[in-house]
Amino acid sequence: MVKELERAGLPTAHVCTIVPISQTVGANRIVPAVAIPHPLGDPTLSREQEKEKRLNIVEKALKAVQTQIDEQTIFE
Amino acid sequence: MGKFRVVHYINQFFGQIGGEEKADIPPQDKEGPIGPGMAFKMALGDEAEIVGTVICGDSYYNEKKDVAKNEVLERIKKYNPDLVIAGPAFNAGRYGMACGSVCKAVIEELSIPAVTAMYPENPGVEVFKKNAYILETAASAAGMRSAVPNMAKFALKLLKGEKIGTPKEEGYIPRGIRKNIFVEETGAKRAVNMLVKKLNGEPFETEYPMPVFDRVEPAPAVEDISKATIALVTSGGIVPKGNPDHIEASSASKFGRYDLENIEYLTPEDFETAHGGYDPTYANEDPNRVLPVDALRDLEKQKAIGKLHRYYYATVGNGTAVADAKKYAENIAKELIADGVQAVILTST
């Protein structure tokens, strides 16, 4: 799906936990996530800390769509 | 001579420990066969026996990567096996990734053969087909009955050091390895024969299939994010409570488009996940953990982005056919572009 969105000209950040799958499928802008059942959250943290973690990942995703790239890039 | 020693790797489900709620269990091992291992025991007959079974949760293996791999490897080593069988994983993505990774590690680090099996669209195939023999199976565990004898037969061949034939003869997924062979006719003659068949519209088999690299040119970056409209898309199955479009828990036949107007964050009262391929507890407790509406609203208020697009799109990425996912995304892209969206954040579970 990520690839089709990019093909259509929309820069797309793929936030996902299993990065090797995203790489093999061919996503261009990859942002590693926390865990499979909660990619943008962490139930072991307090609500505030969790929100901060989520904001941090979303900010990386925004950075990914603002970055001019020539090849597949992982935004750690 | 004694029997060959085989270790079987399976996930928490086939290991009879539990479903998605147990997908995060660390590796454990038990002597002898368990679950599908019983069928392997029958199929391997007198020549080989399953001396131990190593079980690991699918989420644990995929989230902990090298740690999980090493833990599994240690447990496999304990049984001093001659070969490892992993799976079959069918179209279970995380399980396929784990089976592929276990086989790769066994071959490279323990220097013994390994075999797994899965459905050709399993992501484990693309990632690991070069590293291990992956036999082809049906998409679901309904294909167990034919998968087990094929795998057992193949495993015995590997154990006895017998010659492994071509992917087509043996039923494994092509690994991209070329072998020199001698044939009766010269290349020129074979090429002309192929061409004649092609011209006559008859079936023919190429000797050199071209690899398909489906890569997409990166889309140009967003220039001014503070004025841009950002859309959220997810394959994690977040839907309004009650799943109004009845998006299927696996092999989704559709996607949904849902309104976020006046929604500051997703609440468990109004949203839930329809995804059947991961433990839904955390997503149902706080759907923002999969679809980060709260974070984007914050950034919108801070004027870090222009705005969050009014609608988000969701489907369930669980055994969904690649061709279907592609079609959904093509349609989603058209709508997003028509609505003036400049960038997308797509979240996957």
Side-chain angles (χ1 to χ4, degrees):
Chain A
M1 294 184 80
V2 199
K3 220 160 58 180
E4 295 315 313
L5 294 168
E6 283 253 338
R7 207 193 299 271
L10 288 165
T12 303
H14 190 208
V15 179
C16 63
T17 305
I18 316 178
V19 172
I21 295 187
S22 182
Q23 285 174 300
T24 309
V25 168
N28 286 325
R29 298 173 157 93
I30 304 171
V31 179
V34 179
I36 293 159
H38 44 83
L40 293 113
D42 187 344
T44 63
L45 300 177
S46 71
R47 285 271 152 166
E48 293 72 36
Q49 288 171 316
E50 186 178 12
K51 179 77 178 286
E52 201 156 307
K53 196 161 194 172
R54 177 151 57 248
L55 265 168
N56 187 275
I57 296 172
V58 170
E59 278 165 356
K60 276 185 208 158
L62 292 176
K63 185 173 162 238
V65 297
Q66 292 177 80
T67 308
Q68 198 67 42
I69 54 168
D70 302 320
E71 54 176 15
Q72 201 167 50
T73 308
I74 299 172
F75 294 84
E76 297 273 3
Chain B
M1 199 182 90
K3 287 184 180 182
F4 288 113
R5 299 170 64 82
V6 175
V7 168
H8 190 203
Y9 174 84
I10 49 179
N11 70 359
Q12 81 285 351
F13 176 73
F14 289 104
Q16 300 170 358
I17 292 171
E20 283 305 331
E21 77 290 355
K22 296 284 183 197
D24 58 352
I25 59 148
Q28 45 183 277
D29 64 273
K30 286 180 185 143
E31 276 182 28
I34 296 171
M38 299 295 182
F40 276 112
K41 182 185 154 90
M42 299 280 290
L44 291 166
D46 299 332
E47 295 178 281
E49 79 176 310
I50 307 233
V51 289
T53 304
V54 178
I55 303 165
C56 180
D58 281 337
S59 288
Y60 184 93
Y61 197 98
N62 281 282
E63 287 170 2
K64 302 276 196 282
K65 294 179 194 105
D66 284 353
V67 176
K69 184 202 77 185
N70 289 332
E71 287 170 355
V72 166
L73 221 46
E74 281 309 309
R75 286 175 191 273
I76 290 175
K77 236 195 278 184
K78 235 172 53 180
Y79 291 96
N80 195 20
D82 301 306
L83 173 138
V84 171
I85 292 176
F90 305 105
N91 200 18
R94 286 164 306 162
Y95 191 21
M97 288 292 287
C99 286
S101 163
V102 167
C103 286
K104 178 176 191 268
V106 164
I107 294 163
E108 289 175 0
E109 297 176 39
L110 305 185
S111 305
I112 56 168
V115 60
T116 182
M118 56 193 91
Y119 182 64
E121 281 198 359
N122 192 311
V125 169
E126 274 308 302
V127 179
F128 293 107
K129 66 179 179 189
K130 285 198 176 74
N131 307 105
Y133 287 112
I134 303 176
L135 303 196
E136 192 173 328
T137 70
S140 81
M144 187 68 88
R145 208 187 302 176
S146 58
V148 169
N150 290 345
M151 289 172 81
K153 199 172 129 204
F154 194 81
L156 288 172
K157 273 195 156 182
L158 287 173
L159 282 166
K160 292 187 233 165
E162 285 175 17
K163 187 175 165 286
I164 302 295
T166 63
K168 210 176 159 189
E169 287 161 14
E170 306 279 357
Y172 63 88
I173 291 163
R175 303 178 60 187
I177 294 171
R178 262 188 261 164
K179 271 192 179 160
N180 287 325
I181 52 165
F182 288 100
V183 289
E184 293 280 313
E185 293 174 332
T186 64
K189 192 158 183 216
R190 300 201 306 276
V192 170
N193 285 343
M194 249 186 262
L195 183 62
V196 170
K197 281 190 178 168
K198 188 172 184 173
L199 290 171
N200 287 334
E202 290 166 20
F204 66 95
E205 203 177 328
T206 176
E207 292 179 17
Y208 188 47
M210 300 307 282
V212 187
F213 291 114
D214 186 25
R215 285 289 180 261
V216 173
E217 190 81 5
V222 177
E223 278 172 25
D224 187 356
I225 197 97
S226 70
K227 294 199 173 63
T229 302
I230 312 289
L232 280 173
V233 179
T234 187
S235 62
I238 300 296
V239 292
K241 193 99 176 182
N243 191 7
D245 294 321
H246 308 291
I247 299 179
E248 298 87 344
S250 73
S251 306
S253 68
K254 53 178 94 88
F255 65 86
R257 168 183 184 259
Y258 304 108
D259 200 345
L260 290 170
E261 175 126 288
N262 297 323
I263 292 175
E264 286 301 302
Y265 50 88
L266 305 182
T267 63
E269 289 75 34
D270 295 329
F271 291 89
E272 63 182 355
T273 180
H275 200 294
Y278 66 89
D279 181 352
T281 315
Y282 311 104
N284 286 342
E285 218 168 69
D286 181 358
N288 300 285
R289 285 170 174 159
V290 176
L291 195 78
V293 173
D294 60 347
L296 280 148
R297 287 291 184 219
D298 284 3
L299 294 165
E300 195 178 48
K301 279 191 210 105
Q302 295 163 17
K303 309 220 181 304
I305 59 166
K307 64 173 183 175
L308 172 61
H309 184 46
R310 176 168 170 178
Y311 300 97
Y312 81 90
Y313 291 80
T315 189
V316 166
N318 182 22
T320 308
V322 175
D324 286 343
K326 193 172 146 95
K327 191 178 67 196
Y328 305 157
E330 282 166 1
N331 289 327
I332 293 170
K334 260 185 228 152
E335 293 190 20
L336 291 176
I337 291 168
D339 284 346
V341 167
Q342 275 106 37
V344 178
I345 297 176
L346 192 151
T347 64
S348 290
T349 45

